[in-house]
Amino acid sequence: MLLCVQTGKTVSDDNRLKIETDELYLKSADEMNQGFDYCPGAVERTLEIADRCNVDIEFGKYHFPNFTPPKEISLDDYLDELAHQGWNNVSRACIDAELRKSYVERLEYELDVIKRMQFPGYFLVVADFINYAKESGIPVGPGRGSSAAAWSRMLSKSPISIRSGMFVV
């Protein structure tokens, strides 16, 4: 049922995504030992490792990695700076003044949302990972499906391009 909700399908839809297994449940210790009988001690070792873990998570608060801009500037201002630099890198291809204006308005709107949600650090961390990968010759995907990954294209050194009045990622 949850899979249908997540994919926007109904249970009666023959073309919906299905997971063909009846093993999506918490297994008993006996079932786990049977499932790992080829690897003696695996279940016990897993329990030893789990017993060493002690994590307290404060709920209701974001827990993002720290991002330190390369100069004395707030995360909000640094995100603005990089986003506008990225926009300037691609905006030369957009000669329609009204279209340019609408893109800048959309950019400002998106930046405002990110800042109001207190996510600039997260977006900057993702952009930093992607820029590092590109500079190191590590293949990077187009960023579809993740707003932070897609935005990082705007913040990267090889950003998106504009074609036929649309951003191309």
Side-chain angles (χ1 to χ4, degrees):
M1 183 74 68
L2 183 57
L3 195 54
C4 288
V5 171
Q6 290 173 335
T7 58
K9 301 288 184 176
T10 62
V11 176
S12 60
D13 188 341
D14 291 333
N15 293 321
R16 68 181 168 87
L17 179 62
K18 298 174 193 156
I19 298 177
E20 301 292 334
T21 183
D22 60 354
E23 295 195 29
L24 297 177
Y25 63 94
L26 294 175
K27 295 185 177 188
S28 69
D30 288 339
E31 289 173 302
M32 292 302 290
N33 282 316
Q34 270 183 332
F36 287 95
D37 61 354
Y38 62 91
C39 189
V43 174
E44 291 79 15
R45 187 74 177 131
T46 301
L47 290 172
E48 288 174 23
I49 294 169
D51 286 340
R52 292 183 192 172
C53 297
N54 182 17
V55 178
D56 290 321
I57 298 175
E58 183 180 347
F59 292 99
K61 180 180 176 188
Y62 297 124
H63 300 278
F64 296 128
N66 291 327
F67 182 85
T68 305
K71 56 188 175 181
E72 288 291 321
I73 188 172
S74 73
L75 293 178
D76 288 0
D77 290 343
Y78 191 54
L79 180 69
D80 279 341
E81 181 181 304
L82 292 180
H84 285 97
Q85 282 175 3
W87 166 246
N88 290 336
N89 288 341
V90 298
S91 64
R92 290 177 284 253
C94 183
I95 56 174
D96 182 311
E98 276 301 306
L99 194 55
R100 282 178 69 101
K101 182 180 177 215
S102 69
Y103 281 146
V104 170
E105 288 171 357
R106 182 59 188 237
L107 174 65
E108 294 302 329
Y109 172 79
E110 297 287 344
L111 285 168
D112 182 60
V113 169
I114 291 168
K115 290 185 276 188
R116 278 188 288 122
M117 294 181 68
Q118 302 174 351
F119 283 7
Y122 173 69
F123 281 76
L124 291 166
V125 165
V126 172
D128 195 42
F129 283 145
I130 290 174
N131 283 331
Y132 175 83
K134 286 179 178 183
E135 291 167 3
S136 302
I138 300 168
V140 177
R144 292 184 182 100
S146 163
S147 62
W151 256 89
S152 71
R153 293 293 303 268
M154 179 64 90
L155 307 178
S156 74
K157 293 182 175 110
S158 57
I160 57 180
S161 62
I162 297 176
R163 192 177 336 143
S164 304
M166 296 180 68
F167 284 110
V168 178
V169 176

